[in-house]
Each structure stands twice: as structure tokens, then as C-alpha cells.
Amino acid sequence: MAIWTNGTDFVLCTRWGIARSSGGRDRKQTVLRFPTKGLRRDEDPPELVSFVVLDADGRRALVLREGGSPSIWTHDDAGGALTPCEAGEILGLAASPGGPMVALAVDRTPGSGARLRLRAARLDGARLDLGDDIAIPEAPRLAWRSSLFKEGSRWPEEPNDEDDDEPEDPPFDPRLLGVEIQGAGGACWRGAVRLSASRFGVGVTSTYSGLVAALDPRTLACRLAVRSPAEREQFDIFVLPMPEGALVTLVANDRHTEFVYVDTSGAVRGHRHQFGKDLAWGADSPGLAWDERTVLVSQSLGEEQIQSLTLPALEARRFGEDTGCLIDAGSSADGAAHFTARTHHSYKRPHNWHLSRWTRHGARYRASEIEMPDFRPVEPPAPASPAAKRAEGAPALGAVADPATPWRARVGAEAALRVRVENCGGPARGLYVEIGGAALADGMVSALAVAIEGSAVVAFTRKEAAARAELPEAVLEAGFMPAASRGASAALPPQPAIVIELRVRAERAGQGLLSVRVGPRGATGTAGSAMVGRSFTVEVG
């Protein structure tokens, strides 16, 4: 998981870049987009392996992407920059919020073969210093009736008729996380090791040995170590440390999923392989520790959804009515705030995600939708013809809703809606904004205020079935006119545009059309104006 938050600010790291958003009413968002040079337009950047925030303000972090070395991200008003980190051969990093860091380091001691070691780590300037090995005690086998494995089968140290007959080099050692072997395509690691972290600890899993371990978030002492049956190919083991144990997630072939809760003594206290009549399916993360006894996980069979599991027996219930799986999440160090990113498995690029912030109020949490950062590359504008002329006469506006801004909120919460307004006609000196539609008329939402960057916030005035506000300081220069003599390949300069931000409050659960009309101030009727409308959803708080 790669979302950090202190309750108000948040940082989101993806394989496409890093975004930071400051809290408060006037939320400011900056984005650092990773370079895409050399990639095809339909090719994704390297997968994100680790993201560890290094300070209390979320302005400095270590970033590790697949096939690369750790880099240091430092934030600034332009989104920040990545600088190289002096490090050895590192395959993973993890830390609980505010806690010490763990590194998965490669040991190439001559004569013993390449192995993976778990080391304490800290950043000293631009150098990653590795400390002592983190001791993992002898891990006993888990005992439960698994839905994925026949009883007594698939322990890595035992021969299996379905395994290939290639000799392992070196011989199997259950104390190791992983070893390097020589395959047909060259050197590769036997099995996979995953590091994860929550506010309750750092998790370690290995499909080489079946190891599942949970480390203390402050001391990195091993609090839990057990072993699970495992496959070394097309198999994943995730672990989420919890206060009195850990939730282990086993996934075969990216499909069949089993959840197992283990206490600190190594005893299985609960397990689940179904939700209702459907098999548990397609989990791809450790889940989110919602509180000391609740974990959110994904279910991908049928209608994709998020499920809430209650420890220790893993009773399950659906979390909310929204569809989609939990693709990313993060919590503040005290658990008073969570951020969740939800999407469907077929739409994993960030511009498809729905981002929510959950804040604790008494015994319950309230959700608010957050604008999803846009990591897509900024396309350079097409070259403009020097012959482009400005339009004259009355303004002619066009409007489009920001696709990254969700038109939904929970009862009692506010939502910020952004609308981009262009002008392809004559100059506009001052604008009006009207909100209407069934969502307003039926009392599902109320219109609060509107503003543009650099101007004062103006409150809406309700009049019958609509609400209106005027922005006398808003200016849109005249648009550009196509010249008849220009070739078809010549491009017009970008038309003058501004972004207006409207704030509405969700009053009553329901769904209805919400329309926004923007026009030149002083115009007759709707002359020169533009309107955009979308369905607005108000959810039960």
C-alpha cells in the first residue's frame, strides 16, 4: 500500500508518479510524474515495489520501483524530484508510520550463493545504511483445514509429484527467505518475498519457505512467525500485522483466495474462503487495518466489492454499496483517518480510481470524496499559427466537468465540483454561475459557494428551483478564430479558459441530476452561456 496520511495531508505513490495534497478547505495538490521516455503509449511504467515516508510531514520518502534502485523523493511546490540513493542490492523496503525501516537485501557472500536477508535500515543523507539482521525464530507449521491445499500437502521441504525434478541450489532451508538459482533464462530467485506495513507492524512473507512473520512497529522484534503451505509459482502470500496476531491472505493463480487469522501463539483463530455462496477471489493486497478488530479486503468474483472482516473468527459483511476493489489504502498513525482508493480490476490506471478520506467522529467514520490526482503525461500543445486572430462580439462559452472530480458525497458532507469554462467568442468581463436540476430542487443538495483562482469566494443565492452567484472579477479574453487561409494541419492556440470550483452540501440520500450553467454577466437570457450536467449521488452517512 502506498498512501501516507497524517489525517489531513496525504501522499499517494503509484507506478506513474507521486502526488501530495495539503489539507484544509483550500486543498493544494502537486504531482511528480515519472518519466515515460522509451515506453509505448499503451505500456505501463515499472511496478512500484516500495514507498516509505521518512518524515512527519510527508515531504520526503524512499521509492523503489521494479528493476531499479532506491531513490529519494523530496517534495516542493512543483511536485518534487527524485534523486539517487546510495544503496546496495535492495529488493524491498517497509516501515510502519513513524517506525524504523526494514530492507530486503541481497547477500552475495562468496561460497554460499546469493540469498535474501532481512536487515534494519536507515537513511543517512543520501546513503542507505544497513544494520543488523532481523532475527526470525523457528517458525512452526500452521494447522487448519485449508480450501486451497490437501491436508499435509504443499510444504516446500517435501517432494511433490507435480514439481519439476530440477535440483535446488542450495538445498532447501526453511530458515531462508529466498535463494538464487540458475534457470533456463539465467539467474532468478526461487519464490517471492513481500514486505508490507500497517500501523500495527511490518509484515514479511516468502513463497520459497512459506514463512509468514509480523514485526513490532517500533522495535522490529519478531512477534509472530509461522509457516504456510505454498506454491513457488503463480502463488501469493500477503500478511497484515494486527495487535494480537496477523491476517494471512493466500492467493492461487490470482484467483482462489483464502483468509486465515493467526494469533501471536501461532494458532489459527479463523479462516474464510467464501463470501456468501461465492468463493473468495482475486485478492491482491494485505488489506487495510480499519481498527484493532476489523480488516477491509477485496472480493472480485461477481460484483467487485470491498468486504469487512471482523477478528478473530473473520465474520464478513459488505463494506458500503459502491462497487470496485481496494487497490490502495493508508491510515494515519493513530488510526483516526483512512484513505481508500477503489477501482475495478479491468481499470487499474489511476485516472479510474475513486479516492475517499474517512475521518473518525466518535465511534463512527465519515467519508468525503477526494479529487484523484492526474498522473497522465501532460501533452505538449500543438504548434499554433501566428495568423490566429481574436474573435469579436459576444462571448461564446463552453463548459466541461472535471472527470477526476466525483459528483457524490455522504449526507452532511461537502463536495467540491470543478468545471472548466472556455471562450471561443468575444471577451467576457464577469460571469454568472447557476446551479439547478432535480438534485437541488428536491433538496438532496444545497449550493454553498463558488470561486475561481485568485478571486474571492461568492455565496450562492437561492431563487426558486435554482441558485445563482455572480463573479464580477472573472475575465475570459476573446477566443481565437480559425482563418480561412490556414491549412488543415495548422492548430489554433488553446482557447482562453478558467476553472471554477463550486461547493455543495449533501443534505438527503438519493440520486438526481445536478446542472451547472455558466454565462457572461449581463447577457440576455442564456445567450453565450454553457451548461454541464451530471447525476449527483448522496449516500447515507
Side-chain angles (χ1 to χ4, degrees), residues 124-147:
D124 183 6
R127 185 178 68 252
L128 185 68
D129 286 341
L130 298 181
D132 295 336
D133 281 11
I134 296 174
I136 304 294
E138 183 176 348
R141 292 180 175 185
L142 284 175
W144 88 103
R145 188 172 181 177
S146 172
S147 67

Side-chain angles (χ1 to χ4, degrees), residues 137-276:
E138 183 176 348
R141 292 180 175 185
L142 284 175
W144 88 103
R145 188 172 181 177
S146 172
S147 67
L148 298 180
F149 305 102
K150 294 180 180 179
E151 187 174 356
S153 69
R154 289 304 182 185
W155 294 102
E157 64 269 31
E158 295 180 357
N160 191 291
D161 294 339
E162 297 179 15
D163 288 340
D164 58 53
D165 56 0
E166 294 182 4
E168 296 199 15
D169 184 17
F172 176 77
D173 185 340
R175 297 169 299 177
L176 299 179
L177 292 171
V179 297
E180 192 177 56
I181 62 171
Q182 294 298 319
C188 61
W189 291 101
R190 174 71 83 181
V193 180
R194 290 185 180 273
L195 301 184
S196 59
S198 73
R199 65 187 187 278
F200 299 125
V202 176
V204 185
T205 66
S206 167
T207 59
Y208 166 76
S209 61
L211 175 72
V212 176
L215 311 180
D216 186 272
R218 296 291 171 258
T219 67
L220 299 184
C222 186
R223 298 189 319 194
L224 167 67
V226 293
R227 291 179 59 228
S228 164
E231 303 276 6
R232 292 180 184 171
E233 302 294 336
Q234 298 296 312
F235 191 80
D236 279 312
I237 307 177
F238 303 95
V239 62
L240 180 68
M242 297 298 288
E244 299 178 2
L247 179 69
V248 183
T249 303
L250 308 174
V251 187
N253 298 311
D254 297 322
R255 298 181 296 175
H256 296 278
T257 299
E258 185 166 15
F259 302 98
V260 184
Y261 178 66
V262 186
D263 66 19
T264 51
S265 72
V268 173
R269 300 285 304 281
H271 58 94
R272 172 173 291 276
H273 69 279
Q274 286 182 295
F275 292 108

Side-chain angles (χ1 to χ4, degrees), residues 347-434:
Y347 299 92
K348 288 193 172 183
R349 291 186 174 180
H351 62 271
N352 297 303
W353 298 5
H354 295 275
L355 188 63
S356 301
R357 178 177 64 185
W358 303 78
T359 52
R360 188 165 57 200
H361 295 268
R364 304 187 67 182
Y365 285 84
R366 294 179 184 171
S368 56
E369 298 292 326
I370 301 296
E371 178 186 2
M372 184 63 198
D374 191 350
F375 294 100
R376 288 172 289 189
V378 178
E379 299 288 345
S385 167
K389 294 181 179 181
R390 296 278 186 176
E392 298 178 355
L397 306 183
V400 62
D402 179 6
T405 304
W407 286 44
R408 64 193 307 131
R410 292 186 179 269
V411 173
E414 293 183 12
L417 311 179
R418 291 177 174 83
V419 175
R420 188 174 188 271
V421 182
E422 286 189 354
N423 183 25
C424 59
R429 301 289 184 260
L431 300 174
Y432 71 84
V433 181
E434 286 185 352

Side-chain angles (χ1 to χ4, degrees), residues 1 38 72 76 134 349 486:
M1 298 296 193
I72 303 170
D76 60 28
I134 296 174
R349 291 186 174 180
R486 265 207 314 276

Side-chain angles (χ1 to χ4, degrees), residues 17 64 69 97 99 155 158 205 318 327 340 363 394 401-402 423 426 466 482 490 532:
L64 177 61
S69 298
W155 294 102
E158 295 180 357
T205 66
R318 182 165 177 169
I327 193 168
T340 59
D402 179 6
N423 183 25
V532 60

